[in-house]
Amino acid sequence: MRNVIANISLSLDGRVAGPGGEYDMSWIVPHAVSAAARDHMVRVTGGATTALLGRKNYQGFSGFWPSVAGDENADERDRAFARWLDGVEKVVFSTTLDRVDWRNARLAAADPAATVKELRAQEGGDIVVLASTSVIQQLLAAGEIDRLSVTLCPELVGGGARPFFADDLDRSSWTLTDTARTDSGALCLLYSRNAG
């Protein structure tokens, strides 16, 4: 069975963006570029053959990562991630885009939960949701996340969008299966959902 892994960076106060709006994420950067965080990302994505992206991440990633794959000055782990991302199937959730141009990318015709159910029925490796907040939240609410990769950053961003985890989520239990501490003090945590 294909596992669905949600990958997200959170502040200590549970947010993905600061008070400056949805693009206020400069507080994440020092933690994301650490050696341990890069190693963690390669581990999380290593067995995946499909990436799920929301529109904003698709547009940002497609404008950045393809050029990193061949950049000899880039960190080798960033190049490995860029090559992986360029080669895998990419499913993009958007109500405003009418086409996607990145190699192996397609627009999803259904909502995230229905799309994941279709993908699970197909051959392939893991399915990774790359930092697309609304997609991860919808899949968590539908019970369609098997593993949760959280980079917990030692920052209180103080406001901004409401905390990432909604108050109305059903109760679930998770087991910590991998952890790494970065030089910046962030914790890279990988949890697997417990059955039942």
Coordinates of all heavy atoms in Angstrom, one line a residue, residues 1-52:
M1 N 0.8 -1.2 0.0 CA 0.0 0.0 0.0 C 0.9 1.2 0.0 O 1.9 1.3 0.7 CB -0.9 0.0 1.2 CG -1.9 1.2 1.2 SD -3.1 1.0 2.5 CE -2.7 2.4 3.5
R2 N 0.5 2.3 -0.7 CA 1.2 3.5 -0.8 C 0.9 4.4 0.4 O -0.3 4.6 0.8 CB 0.8 4.3 -2.1 CG 1.0 3.5 -3.3 CD 0.6 4.3 -4.5 NE 1.6 5.3 -4.8 CZ 1.5 6.1 -5.9 NH1 0.4 6.1 -6.6 NH2 2.4 7.0 -6.1
N3 N 1.9 4.8 1.1 CA 1.7 5.7 2.3 C 1.7 7.1 1.8 O 2.4 7.5 0.9 CB 2.9 5.5 3.3 CG 2.8 4.2 4.0 OD1 1.8 3.9 4.6 ND2 3.9 3.4 3.9
V4 N 0.9 7.9 2.5 CA 0.8 9.4 2.3 C 1.6 10.1 3.4 O 1.2 9.9 4.6 CB -0.6 9.9 2.2 CG1 -0.6 11.4 2.0 CG2 -1.3 9.2 1.1
I5 N 2.6 10.8 3.0 CA 3.4 11.6 4.0 C 3.2 13.0 3.8 O 3.4 13.6 2.7 CB 4.9 11.2 3.8 CG1 5.2 9.7 3.8 CG2 5.8 11.9 4.8 CD1 6.5 9.3 3.3
A6 N 2.8 13.7 4.9 CA 2.7 15.2 4.9 C 3.9 15.8 5.5 O 4.4 15.4 6.5 CB 1.5 15.6 5.7
N7 N 4.5 16.7 4.7 CA 5.7 17.4 5.2 C 5.4 18.9 5.4 O 5.0 19.6 4.5 CB 6.8 17.3 4.1 CG 8.1 17.9 4.5 OD1 8.7 17.4 5.5 ND2 8.4 19.0 3.9
I8 N 5.7 19.3 6.6 CA 5.4 20.7 7.0 C 6.4 21.2 8.0 O 6.9 20.5 8.8 CB 3.9 20.8 7.6 CG1 3.4 22.2 7.6 CG2 3.8 20.1 8.9 CD1 2.9 22.8 6.3
S9 N 6.6 22.5 8.0 CA 7.5 23.2 9.0 C 6.5 24.1 9.8 O 5.7 24.8 9.3 CB 8.5 24.1 8.3 OG 9.5 23.4 7.7
L10 N 6.7 24.0 11.2 CA 5.8 24.7 12.1 C 6.7 25.5 13.1 O 7.8 25.0 13.5 CB 5.0 23.7 12.9 CG 3.9 22.9 12.1 CD1 3.2 21.9 13.0 CD2 2.9 23.8 11.4
S11 N 6.1 26.6 13.6 CA 6.7 27.3 14.7 C 6.3 26.7 16.0 O 5.4 25.8 16.0 CB 6.2 28.8 14.6 OG 4.8 28.8 14.8
L12 N 6.9 27.1 17.1 CA 6.5 26.6 18.4 C 5.1 26.9 18.7 O 4.4 26.2 19.5 CB 7.4 27.1 19.5 CG 8.9 26.6 19.5 CD1 9.7 27.3 20.5 CD2 8.9 25.1 19.7
D13 N 4.5 28.0 18.1 CA 3.1 28.3 18.4 C 2.2 27.7 17.3 O 1.1 28.2 17.1 CB 2.9 29.8 18.6 CG 3.6 30.7 17.5 OD1 4.4 30.2 16.7 OD2 3.3 31.9 17.5
G14 N 2.8 26.8 16.6 CA 1.9 26.0 15.6 C 1.5 26.6 14.3 O 0.6 26.2 13.7
R15 N 2.3 27.6 13.9 CA 2.0 28.3 12.7 C 2.9 28.0 11.5 O 4.0 27.6 11.7 CB 1.9 29.8 12.9 CG 0.8 30.2 13.9 CD 0.9 31.7 14.3 NE -0.4 32.2 14.7 CZ -1.0 31.9 15.8 NH1 -0.4 31.1 16.7 NH2 -2.2 32.5 16.2
V16 N 2.4 28.2 10.3 CA 3.2 28.0 9.1 C 3.6 29.3 8.5 O 4.4 29.4 7.6 CB 2.5 27.1 8.0 CG1 2.3 25.7 8.6 CG2 1.2 27.7 7.6
A17 N 3.0 30.4 8.9 CA 3.3 31.7 8.4 C 3.2 32.7 9.6 O 2.5 32.5 10.5 CB 2.4 32.1 7.3
G18 N 3.9 33.8 9.5 CA 3.9 34.8 10.5 C 2.9 35.9 10.3 O 2.1 35.9 9.4
P19 N 2.9 37.0 11.1 CA 1.9 38.0 11.1 C 1.9 38.9 9.8 O 1.0 39.6 9.5 CB 2.2 38.9 12.3 CG 3.6 38.5 12.7 CD 3.8 37.2 12.2
G20 N 3.0 38.7 9.0 CA 3.1 39.5 7.7 C 2.3 38.8 6.6 O 2.4 39.3 5.5
G21 N 1.6 37.8 6.9 CA 0.8 37.1 5.8 C 1.3 35.8 5.4 O 2.3 35.3 6.0
E22 N 0.7 35.2 4.4 CA 1.0 33.8 4.1 C 2.4 33.6 3.5 O 2.9 32.5 3.5 CB 0.0 33.3 3.1 CG -0.1 34.0 1.7 CD -1.2 33.6 0.8 OE1 -1.7 32.4 1.0 OE2 -1.6 34.3 0.0
Y23 N 3.1 34.7 3.1 CA 4.4 34.6 2.6 C 5.5 35.0 3.6 O 6.7 35.1 3.4 CB 4.6 35.4 1.3 CG 3.8 34.9 0.2 CD1 2.6 35.5 -0.2 CD2 4.1 33.7 -0.4 CE1 1.8 35.0 -1.2 CE2 3.3 33.2 -1.5 CZ 2.1 33.9 -1.8 OH 1.4 33.4 -2.9
D24 N 5.0 35.2 4.9 CA 5.9 35.6 6.0 C 6.5 34.3 6.5 O 6.1 33.8 7.6 CB 5.2 36.4 7.0 CG 6.0 36.8 8.2 OD1 7.3 36.5 8.2 OD2 5.5 37.4 9.1
M25 N 7.5 33.7 5.9 CA 8.1 32.5 6.3 C 9.7 32.6 6.4 O 10.3 31.6 6.4 CB 7.8 31.4 5.3 CG 6.3 31.1 5.3 SD 5.8 29.8 4.1 CE 6.1 30.6 2.5
S26 N 10.2 33.8 6.5 CA 11.6 33.9 6.6 C 12.2 33.3 7.8 O 13.3 32.9 7.8 CB 12.0 35.4 6.5 OG 11.4 36.1 7.6
W27 N 11.4 33.1 8.8 CA 11.8 32.5 10.1 C 12.1 31.0 9.9 O 12.8 30.3 10.7 CB 10.8 32.6 11.2 CG 9.4 32.2 10.7 CD1 8.4 33.0 10.1 CD2 8.8 31.0 10.9 NE1 7.3 32.3 9.9 CE2 7.5 31.0 10.4 CE3 9.2 29.8 11.5 CZ2 6.6 29.9 10.4 CZ3 8.3 28.7 11.5 CH2 7.0 28.8 10.9
I28 N 11.6 30.4 8.8 CA 11.8 29.0 8.5 C 13.2 28.7 7.9 O 13.8 27.7 8.1 CB 10.7 28.4 7.6 CG1 9.4 28.4 8.3 CG2 11.1 27.0 7.1 CD1 8.2 28.0 7.4
V29 N 13.6 29.7 7.1 CA 14.8 29.5 6.2 C 16.1 29.0 7.0 O 16.7 28.0 6.6 CB 15.1 30.7 5.4 CG1 16.4 30.6 4.6 CG2 13.9 31.0 4.4
P30 N 16.4 29.6 8.1 CA 17.7 29.2 8.8 C 17.6 27.7 9.2 O 18.6 27.0 9.3 CB 17.8 30.1 10.0 CG 16.9 31.3 9.7 CD 15.8 30.8 8.8
H31 N 16.4 27.2 9.5 CA 16.2 25.9 9.9 C 16.1 24.9 8.8 O 16.6 23.8 8.8 CB 15.0 25.8 10.8 CG 14.9 26.8 11.9 ND1 15.9 26.9 12.9 CD2 14.2 27.9 12.0 CE1 15.6 27.9 13.7 NE2 14.6 28.6 13.2
A32 N 15.6 25.3 7.6 CA 15.4 24.5 6.5 C 16.7 24.2 5.7 O 16.8 23.2 5.1 CB 14.4 25.1 5.5
V33 N 17.6 25.1 5.8 CA 18.9 24.9 5.1 C 20.0 24.2 5.9 O 21.1 24.1 5.4 CB 19.4 26.3 4.5 CG1 18.4 26.8 3.5 CG2 19.7 27.3 5.6
S34 N 19.7 23.8 7.1 CA 20.6 23.1 7.9 C 20.9 21.7 7.3 O 20.1 21.1 6.6 CB 20.1 23.0 9.3 OG 19.0 22.1 9.4
A35 N 22.1 21.1 7.7 CA 22.4 19.8 7.2 C 21.4 18.8 7.6 O 21.0 17.9 6.8 CB 23.8 19.5 7.7
A36 N 21.0 18.8 8.9 CA 20.1 17.8 9.4 C 18.7 17.9 8.7 O 18.1 16.9 8.4 CB 19.9 17.9 10.9
A37 N 18.2 19.1 8.4 CA 16.9 19.3 7.7 C 17.0 18.8 6.3 O 16.1 18.2 5.8 CB 16.5 20.8 7.8
R38 N 18.1 19.1 5.7 CA 18.3 18.6 4.3 C 18.3 17.1 4.3 O 17.7 16.4 3.4 CB 19.6 19.2 3.7 CG 19.4 20.6 3.3 CD 20.8 21.2 2.8 NE 20.6 22.4 2.0 CZ 21.3 23.5 2.2 NH1 22.3 23.5 3.1 NH2 21.1 24.5 1.4
D39 N 19.1 16.5 5.2 CA 19.1 15.0 5.3 C 17.7 14.4 5.5 O 17.4 13.4 4.9 CB 20.1 14.6 6.4 CG 21.5 14.8 6.1 OD1 21.9 15.0 4.9 OD2 22.4 14.8 7.0
H40 N 17.0 15.1 6.4 CA 15.6 14.6 6.7 C 14.8 14.6 5.5 O 14.0 13.7 5.2 CB 15.1 15.5 7.9 CG 13.7 15.1 8.2 ND1 13.3 14.0 9.0 CD2 12.5 15.8 7.9 CE1 12.0 14.0 9.2 NE2 11.5 15.0 8.5
M41 N 14.8 15.7 4.7 CA 14.0 15.8 3.5 C 14.3 14.7 2.5 O 13.4 14.1 1.9 CB 14.2 17.2 2.9 CG 13.3 17.4 1.6 SD 11.5 17.2 1.9 CE 11.2 18.6 2.7
V42 N 15.6 14.4 2.4 CA 16.0 13.3 1.4 C 15.5 12.0 1.9 O 14.9 11.2 1.1 CB 17.5 13.3 1.3 CG1 18.0 12.1 0.5 CG2 18.0 14.6 0.5
R43 N 15.5 11.8 3.3 CA 14.9 10.5 3.8 C 13.4 10.4 3.6 O 12.9 9.4 3.2 CB 15.2 10.4 5.3 CG 16.6 9.9 5.7 CD 16.8 9.6 7.1 NE 16.3 10.5 8.1 CZ 17.0 11.6 8.5 NH1 18.2 11.8 8.1 NH2 16.5 12.4 9.4
V44 N 12.7 11.5 3.8 CA 11.3 11.5 3.7 C 10.8 11.3 2.3 O 9.9 10.6 2.0 CB 10.7 12.9 4.3 CG1 9.2 13.1 3.9 CG2 10.8 12.9 5.8
T45 N 11.5 11.9 1.3 CA 11.1 11.8 -0.1 C 11.7 10.6 -0.8 O 11.2 10.3 -1.9 CB 11.5 13.1 -0.8 OG1 12.9 13.3 -0.7 CG2 10.7 14.3 -0.2
G46 N 12.7 9.9 -0.2 CA 13.4 8.9 -0.9 C 12.6 7.8 -1.5 O 12.9 7.3 -2.6
G47 N 11.5 7.3 -0.8 CA 10.7 6.2 -1.3 C 9.4 6.7 -2.0 O 8.6 5.9 -2.4
A48 N 9.3 8.0 -2.3 CA 8.1 8.5 -2.9 C 8.2 8.6 -4.4 O 9.3 9.0 -4.9 CB 7.8 9.9 -2.3
T49 N 7.1 8.4 -5.1 CA 7.1 8.5 -6.5 C 6.0 9.5 -7.0 O 5.9 9.8 -8.2 CB 6.8 7.1 -7.2 OG1 5.5 6.6 -6.7 CG2 7.9 6.1 -6.9
T50 N 5.3 10.1 -6.0 CA 4.3 11.1 -6.3 C 4.4 12.3 -5.3 O 4.6 12.0 -4.1 CB 2.9 10.5 -6.2 OG1 2.8 9.5 -7.2 CG2 1.9 11.6 -6.6
A51 N 4.4 13.5 -5.8 CA 4.3 14.7 -4.9 C 3.0 15.4 -5.1 O 2.6 15.6 -6.3 CB 5.5 15.6 -5.2
L52 N 2.4 15.8 -4.0 CA 1.1 16.6 -4.1 C 1.5 18.0 -3.7 O 2.2 18.3 -2.7 CB 0.1 16.0 -3.1 CG -0.3 14.6 -3.2 CD1 -1.4 14.2 -2.2 CD2 -0.7 14.2 -4.6

